[in-house]
Amino acid sequence: MDGTEHPRVKVRFQLTVDSEGWPPVGSEGLWAEPLGDDLFKIDNTPWFVRNLATEDVVRALAGSDGVLWATEKVRWSGRFTIRVIPRRDGPLAADRQAVLDAFAPFGVSGEGVEQYGMVALDVPPVAELSAVKALLRAGEADGRWYFEEGCIGDDWATA
């Protein structure tokens, strides 16, 4: 980084809600840095958008209402997005910060959102993927959380 503040804008992503009502919203807005030529670098971890991670580059066009709507992912950053829902009836008692704390030693960050009772994890490509994956599976097996893979790459499958 050059130390200067880069402008950020919201880019919206249209979502398809399944028959069970998931995700609970029809679109998601993510912060992004304009790169020019209708390209934007995603600047936060997606809650619901599938196959998208922090620092991915997307193309977005303004709708008639001026809202920027994503039209395609142009470049993957190499980062992974994993969504974790800490169980209310489990040992974490739905504590989202406890999930973040469990993954912090692996260089994994993210944020919890109370409204949906979940954590979106941002896994950098330099993280020890096998350890992250083992912790996710162990936490699901012992009742701490449920998880889903929002955006993964080939390295994840072999970890």
Side-chain angles (χ1 to χ4, degrees):
M1 280 298 219
D2 57 13
T4 60
E5 193 67 27
H6 296 280
R8 294 188 327 157
V9 297
K10 280 277 186 167
V11 174
R12 294 211 69 80
F13 293 78
Q14 191 67 45
L15 302 172
T16 301
V17 179
D18 68 21
S19 61
E20 296 177 9
W22 192 260
V25 293
S27 69
E28 179 176 6
L30 297 172
W31 288 109
E33 178 186 334
L35 301 176
D37 296 326
D38 299 324
L39 299 178
F40 300 85
K41 182 168 73 170
I42 300 302
D43 197 28
N44 63 291
T45 307
W47 296 106
F48 304 113
V49 179
R50 308 274 316 155
N51 194 30
L52 193 72
T54 304
E55 297 185 3
D56 285 359
V57 175
V58 300
R59 184 174 315 283
L61 301 172
S64 59
D65 56 1
V67 174
L68 285 170
W69 287 96
T71 59
E72 66 177 316
K73 180 163 89 172
V74 176
R75 186 172 62 246
W76 179 47
S77 64
R79 304 178 84 83
F80 302 89
T81 301
I82 307 294
R83 290 181 265 282
V84 179
I85 299 178
R87 293 176 54 162
R88 293 189 187 288
D89 62 347
L92 299 183
D95 185 348
R96 292 173 308 282
Q97 187 60 51
V99 173
L100 292 167
D101 293 346
F103 288 93
F106 303 106
V108 174
S109 62
E111 65 180 288
V113 62
E114 185 175 352
Q115 181 178 4
Y116 302 114
M118 65 186 282
V119 173
L121 296 176
D122 172 33
V123 183
V126 297
E128 188 180 332
L129 297 181
S130 60
V132 172
K133 198 172 183 179
L135 179 55
L136 285 165
R137 289 180 173 163
E140 191 165 69
D142 69 17
R144 284 179 278 175
W145 52 63
Y146 304 104
F147 77 93
E148 76 170 9
E149 300 159 340
C151 180
I152 58 171
D154 293 341
D155 291 350
W156 186 258
T158 59

